[in-house]
Amino acid sequence: MSHSRTVEIEGHIIDSGTMQRCFGAVMDLGGSFDVEQFDVGTHEEAESYCRMRVSADDEGTLQAILHELHQNGAVLEDPSDVALVAAPDDKVVPPDFYSTTNHPTEVRYDGEWIDVEQIEMDCALIVDPDGPDGEPRAYTKVLNAVEEGDLVATDESGIRVNPPERPRGSGGAFGFMQGGVSSERPSESTIREVAAELREVKAAGGNVMVVAGPAVIHSGAGDALADLVEAGYVDSLSAGNGFATHDLERSLYGTSLGMDVETLEHPRKGHKHHIWTISEIIRAGGIEAAVEEGIVTEGVMYQCVRNDVDTVLAGSIRDDGPLPDTVTDAVEAQDAIRDQAHDADIVLMLATLLHSVAVGNCLPSTTKTVCVDINPATVTQLLDRGSAQAVGMVTDIGTFVPTLAEFVLEGDEDAAVAEAGENA
């Protein structure tokens, strides 16, 4: 006995590869399809529409196929309202709860489609029938934040995923799904495009988030990142205890993990500099206090304090000290990083795999992302988190950050000269 359902897909589904993925998913999972209607958009702004009947030999196979189609934006013909079940206890969700993707999502409630707020992968989807303004509201919650009585979406009925589509025009460095990783990519031209994007985001009042690893300091790129912070091109910084410690060590002792980053020499007792640094910051009462007292006089953390940059230092089991500013509660750190990620319009992930993956888990697929590391596998793993607008560069972080800062600040100088000419 054959089991079948009819699904609909619409949008720029041809040039974005959506139809190819949907057809492939049906056949790869052992099903078949019959295209009942296919209307092709015939100009740049026109959308296409497809209605097809999907069949499988058993209900389990059909459900697996429908799940894959759902992830690519397909919805059942004549969809029902979202199925909601109250959470039986705090941090407990119904057995068949819907686990979100990082793509823009809508739920159908009381016959209307509602945008899901704070979209993030691997979360529960909550519907509040009486939101703050009295209107229904849909949003995501991580499992440990679910409260007893929350109305949790189950299954996939009444839920519509909208994967990002190919933009109607040139995407530049952030072209749709261009996340191929290659050390052969022309670095200078790509960095110029990233610099231009940073300037555009800031000019529009957008938010720039930086995720940085200790290699930024070890490679000598800390000064350039500090320049970007001072110039107002960083709104939030997510890093670990190690990054901050080595940056502060550079200010106090001129070394990073005991090495002079200019001469590459190791001063006597240099291996103790990082732990001495932690001790001095603890004695001062924290990074901000150390800056205010004149103990720390330069570097990324110094500029973050001076420019009121939102900073989250997330701890790990291997941290020395740690610094008093480091968030050692993992769940608290996740929540703080999540707040930063939800506000970000563009994210620079600089030579840190674990922190970057953590941030990537919180980002919608529409957030522009730049991933830079000397290891190709690291960049690939970061891009595989699902961003549709991503730049991946396999290069030395010590080259990337100073070059980026040069191009960004060079643009500021050019703009100032142009403005002066107009006012003359």
Side-chain angles (χ1 to χ4, degrees):
M1 176 181 175
S2 178
H3 299 258
S4 62
R5 295 293 297 272
T6 299
V7 299
E8 298 175 309
I9 314 167
E10 57 185 326
H12 299 290
I13 57 179
I14 299 175
D15 51 351
S16 292
T18 301
M19 287 313 308
Q20 179 181 352
R21 292 193 298 274
C22 288
F23 290 159
V26 174
M27 292 184 289
D28 289 346
L29 291 172
S32 60
F33 60 85
D34 177 26
V35 176
E36 299 177 343
Q37 182 178 346
F38 203 158
D39 300 329
V40 178
T42 57
H43 58 84
E44 187 175 67
E45 300 301 325
E47 296 185 343
S48 300
Y49 168 84
C50 176
R51 184 179 71 245
M52 65 178 179
R53 190 158 193 82
V54 182
S55 303
D57 291 337
D58 58 84
E59 185 64 27
T61 299
L62 178 62
Q63 290 305 316
I65 293 171
L66 293 176
H67 172 77
E68 289 301 315
L69 295 180
H70 170 82
Q71 304 294 294
N72 283 283
V75 293
L76 293 173
E77 186 180 40
D78 299 324
S80 60
D81 279 358
V82 62
L84 301 172
V85 176
D89 204 346
D90 290 351
K91 304 181 182 180
V92 179
V93 292
D96 296 325
F97 81 101
Y98 174 79
S99 179
T100 56
T101 72
N102 64 343
H103 297 315
T105 302
E106 300 168 272
V107 297
R108 194 172 188 272
Y109 181 80
D110 199 18
E112 300 289 337
W113 288 102
I114 305 170
D115 289 334
V116 178
E117 303 169 19
Q118 301 173 347
I119 194 64
E120 180 181 334
M121 67 172 66
D122 302 331
C123 291
L125 197 163
I126 311 297
V127 174
D128 179 0
D130 302 303
D133 57 357
E135 296 294 324
R137 177 190 175 213
Y139 56 97
T140 62
K141 270 191 177 183
V142 291
L143 297 193
N144 61 43
V146 171
E147 300 175 277
E148 181 180 358
D150 279 345
L151 295 180
V152 181
T154 60
D155 201 63
E156 293 165 348
S157 58
I159 299 174
R160 180 162 63 193
V161 174
N162 300 303
E165 298 175 331
R166 184 180 299 280
R168 305 291 92 195
S170 173
F174 294 88
F176 175 79
M177 294 297 284
Q178 72 138 28
V181 177
S182 173
S183 56
E184 307 280 334
R185 177 171 291 164
S187 298
E188 183 169 320
S189 61
T190 302
I191 297 174
R192 279 195 182 277
E193 290 181 314
V194 173
E197 186 65 31
L198 283 181
R199 290 177 52 76
E200 288 181 17
V201 167
K202 292 309 298 178
N207 183 288
V208 178
M209 180 179 183
V210 170
V211 187
V216 174
I217 308 302
H218 298 333
S219 66
D223 290 344
L225 181 54
D227 289 343
L228 286 172
V229 176
E230 184 178 17
Y233 284 95
V234 178
D235 297 288
S236 62
L237 172 70
S238 178
N241 184 72
F243 171 86
T245 297
H246 301 320
D247 174 70
L248 296 165
E249 176 191 338
R250 177 92 188 284
S251 177
L252 270 62
Y253 299 101
T255 59
S256 174
L257 202 58
M259 182 189 73
D260 187 310
V261 296
E262 275 81 30
T263 66
L264 304 184
E265 295 177 350
H266 289 76
R268 183 171 177 271
K269 294 188 177 180
H271 63 286
K272 296 184 178 182
H273 286 177
H274 76 286
I275 202 67
W276 289 352
T277 296
I278 293 171
S279 176
E280 289 303 307
I281 301 302
I282 292 174
R283 193 188 325 278
I287 297 172
E288 183 175 353
V291 170
E292 297 302 328
E293 291 178 24
I295 297 170
V296 175
T297 59
E298 61 180 344
V300 179
M301 302 309 299
Y302 171 84
Q303 292 296 347
C304 284
V305 171
R306 286 298 188 207
N307 292 275
D308 197 27
V309 170
D310 177 31
T311 303
V312 175
L313 303 178
S316 75
I317 196 68
R318 64 187 183 280
D319 285 339
D320 290 326
L323 292 164
D325 305 80
T326 300
V327 182
T328 56
D329 184 302
V331 174
E332 183 182 343
Q334 283 181 8
D335 289 342
I337 290 172
R338 184 170 286 111
D339 288 341
Q340 290 181 314
H342 288 170
D343 288 338
D345 295 297
I346 183 170
V347 180
L348 305 182
M349 299 177 171
L350 308 176
T352 173
L353 174 60
L354 297 181
H355 259 82
S356 296
V357 168
V359 172
N361 285 346
C362 302
L363 293 175
S365 60
T366 50
T367 301
K368 292 182 177 179
T369 307
V370 182
C371 310
V372 185
D373 201 283
I374 199 65
N375 184 350
T378 296
V379 180
T380 299
Q381 184 169 346
L382 293 176
L383 297 189
D384 282 349
R385 304 314 294 171
S387 176
Q389 301 179 76
V391 174
M393 293 189 66
V394 179
T395 189
D396 174 28
I397 201 69
T399 299
F400 175 85
V401 179
T403 305
L404 177 67
E406 177 187 346
F407 291 158
V408 169
L409 302 180
E410 175 187 273
D412 281 349
E413 293 174 3
D414 292 344
V417 170
E419 183 176 353
E422 290 175 1
N423 295 333

